[in-house]
């Protein structure tokens, strides 16, 4: 109870900040707005109430209800309850539902630039992604990418650095990636393909069976917190790190633009404030529970934890740079996004080398 009260208090602080916008209601419309009530549906790409990913939207809906005094009620639906896991974007764009929660790299077929707002191989960490999105021009570019589809994006959580995944054979060299069928989405999947592997896109709920039946040879999902919940240790032999492909994966809230614009000014501010709170809260949740889950995997389930060899990491980084250069030239908007992302990455990396990295290396 104390924890949620603290989250709610932070949300009101954000609301105060967002409420200082230029949007003003006239006295007559303010009266109408106070009486108006809205009911929304929010669909996700995750199983209902799944740890981290699925809990975030539920907490978001609770916050919005409390902050709006019940004027905006949002009902959350898990993957498959209204639409399949990978059709969330289309449902929001069409107005079938008002909101969605997913990962932007799933929509690369519609807009290649979308991938940069989820995670980029050897890209930005969670803290760096938040900086780029909210104070480095990233969010404005994200809105520009989604505008043609009638969708408004907001950062909706972050997993932090993920694990490289579960493999049923050892990875000792790049040769071991050739022909490997692996569940891995987005730009990471394109890098695997460049290395000779076969990337497969599957929603989370289908991963266990796919690995168990040898439909795939390996899978990445998120990290110990979620991998333990799915029981992936039962069907994967080796657990590799680090997650080079997803160093700080931002999840997204998507809102149908017409639905959002129909809200009064104060409810718009509440939605934005609640999204900012959940964006941070989810990262805190993963930081706390990943380390607990890893201990359980290692000591209770005897999982073999392996580090990817340095030569493999070096080659993956080289291939990643090649893929990024090619994707960046897909269209002018993707190039604009990439240039912004890349410039921010260069600057923040230089700073973090003398702060975060220096400190981490000195801490024993």
């Amino acid at each position: 109870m104390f924890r949620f009260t603290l989250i709610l208090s932070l949300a009101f602080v954000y609301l105060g900040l967002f409420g200082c916008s230029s949007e003003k209601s006239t006295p007559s419309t303010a009266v109408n707005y106070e009486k108006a009530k809205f009911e929304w549906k929010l669909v996700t790409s995750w199983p209902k109430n799944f740890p981290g990913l699925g809990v975030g939207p539920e907490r978001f809906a609770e916050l919005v209800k409390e902050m709006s005094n019940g004027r905006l009620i949002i009902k959350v639906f898990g993957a498959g309850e209204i639409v399949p896991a990978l059709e969330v974007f289309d449902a929001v764009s069409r107005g079938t539902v008002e909101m969605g929660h997913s990962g932007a790299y799933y929509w690369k077929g519609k807009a290649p630039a979308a991938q940069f707002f989820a995670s980029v191989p050897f890209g930005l960490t969670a803290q760096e992604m938040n900086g780029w999105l909210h104070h480095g021009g990233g969010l404005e570019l994200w809105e520009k990418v989604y505008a043609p589809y009638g969708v408004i994006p907001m950062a909706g959580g972050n997993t932090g650095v993920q694990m490289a995944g579960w493999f049923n054979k050892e990875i000792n060299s790049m040769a071991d990636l050739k022909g490997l069928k692996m569940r891995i989405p987005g730009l990471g999947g394109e890098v695997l393909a460049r290395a000779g592997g076969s990337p497969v896109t599957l929603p989370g709920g289908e991963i266990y069976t796919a690995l168990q039946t040898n439909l795939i040879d390996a899978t990445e999902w998120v990290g110990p917190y979620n991998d333990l919940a799915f029981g992936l240790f039962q069907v994967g032999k080796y657990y590799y790190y680090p997650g080079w492909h997803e160093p700080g994966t931002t999840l997204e809230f998507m809102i149908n633009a017409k639905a959002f614009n129909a809200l009064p000014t104060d409810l718009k501010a509440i939605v934005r404030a609640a999204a900012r709170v959940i964006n941070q809260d989810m990262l805190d949740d993963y930081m706390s529970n990943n380390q607990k889950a890893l201990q359980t995997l290692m000591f209770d389930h005897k999982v073999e934890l392996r580090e990817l060899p340095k030569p493999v990491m070096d080659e993956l980084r080289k291939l990643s740079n090649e893929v990024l250069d090619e994707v960046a030239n897909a269209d002018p908007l993707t190039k604009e996004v990439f240039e912004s992302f890349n410039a921010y990455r260069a600057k923040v990396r230089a700073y973090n080398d003398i702060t975060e990295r220096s400190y981490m290396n000195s801490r024993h």
Side-chain angles (χ1 to χ4, degrees), residues 67-145:
M67 293 165 69
S68 69
N69 196 27
R71 290 167 54 218
L72 177 53
I73 302 298
I74 300 174
K75 186 172 183 181
V76 180
F77 296 86
E81 291 188 296
I82 292 181
V83 297
L86 301 184
E87 293 183 17
V88 170
F89 187 93
D90 287 339
V92 176
S93 178
R94 291 192 300 263
T96 304
V97 296
E98 291 79 12
M99 283 195 72
H101 189 263
S102 191
Y105 45 32
Y106 291 133
W107 328 128
K108 68 176 186 178
K110 300 179 183 297
Q115 300 172 93
F116 290 94
F117 304 107
S119 194
V120 173
F122 300 97
L124 300 176
T125 64
Q127 188 171 330
E128 293 166 346
M129 278 291 290
N130 283 333
W132 176 57
L133 289 173
H134 298 126
H135 294 283
L139 183 57
E140 290 80 2
L141 287 170
W142 199 356
E143 291 172 345
K144 186 176 180 179
V145 171

Side-chain angles (χ1 to χ4, degrees), residues 50-286:
F50 189 69
L53 302 176
V55 171
E58 301 285 352
R59 291 177 175 165
F60 170 81
E62 291 172 18
L63 272 176
V64 169
K65 179 181 178 180
E66 290 195 35
M67 293 165 69
S68 69
N69 196 27
R71 290 167 54 218
L72 177 53
I73 302 298
I74 300 174
K75 186 172 183 181
V76 180
F77 296 86
E81 291 188 296
I82 292 181
V83 297
L86 301 184
E87 293 183 17
V88 170
F89 187 93
D90 287 339
V92 176
S93 178
R94 291 192 300 263
T96 304
V97 296
E98 291 79 12
M99 283 195 72
H101 189 263
S102 191
Y105 45 32
Y106 291 133
W107 328 128
K108 68 176 186 178
K110 300 179 183 297
Q115 300 172 93
F116 290 94
F117 304 107
S119 194
V120 173
F122 300 97
L124 300 176
T125 64
Q127 188 171 330
E128 293 166 346
M129 278 291 290
N130 283 333
W132 176 57
L133 289 173
H134 298 126
H135 294 283
L139 183 57
E140 290 80 2
L141 287 170
W142 199 356
E143 291 172 345
K144 186 176 180 179
V145 171
Y146 280 13
Y149 304 94
V151 174
I152 296 172
M154 298 177 191
N158 201 298
T159 65
V161 180
Q162 296 193 5
M163 297 291 282
W166 298 87
F167 296 74
N168 280 326
K169 71 173 186 176
E170 294 182 82
I171 305 299
N172 296 311
S173 70
M174 291 298 292
D176 295 317
L177 297 179
K178 293 187 183 300
L180 186 79
K181 292 179 295 182
M182 182 175 181
R183 185 271 177 193
I184 179 171
L187 292 164
E190 295 185 39
V191 174
L192 177 67
R194 184 68 58 95
S198 300
V200 178
T201 299
L202 291 172
E206 298 178 18
I207 292 176
Y208 184 99
T209 301
L211 195 57
Q212 182 184 44
T213 58
N214 298 317
L215 179 65
I216 54 176
D217 308 309
T219 184
E220 64 79 47
W221 177 224
V222 181
Y225 187 26
N226 288 154
D227 295 358
L228 176 64
F230 265 164
L232 296 180
F233 62 90
Q234 298 170 346
V235 290
K237 186 174 182 180
Y238 304 106
Y239 200 25
Y240 275 94
Y241 70 95
W244 58 272
H245 61 300
E246 297 196 41
T249 306
T250 296
L251 287 309
E252 62 177 351
F253 284 116
M254 295 168 282
I255 307 176
N256 178 272
K258 290 182 180 179
F260 186 73
N261 291 332
L263 294 177
T265 301
D266 65 330
L267 291 187
K268 289 178 183 177
I270 285 172
V271 169
R272 291 191 183 279
R276 285 291 290 270
V277 170
I278 295 305
N279 187 56
Q280 183 62 48
D281 183 62
M282 186 185 293
L283 180 60
D284 299 344
D285 190 14
Y286 275 103

Side-chain angles (χ1 to χ4, degrees), residues 3-13 63 66-67 277:
R3 179 176 179 278
F4 192 75
T5 301
L6 177 59
I7 293 174
L8 187 58
S9 298
L10 291 172
F12 278 113
V13 172
L63 272 176
E66 290 195 35
M67 293 165 69
V277 170

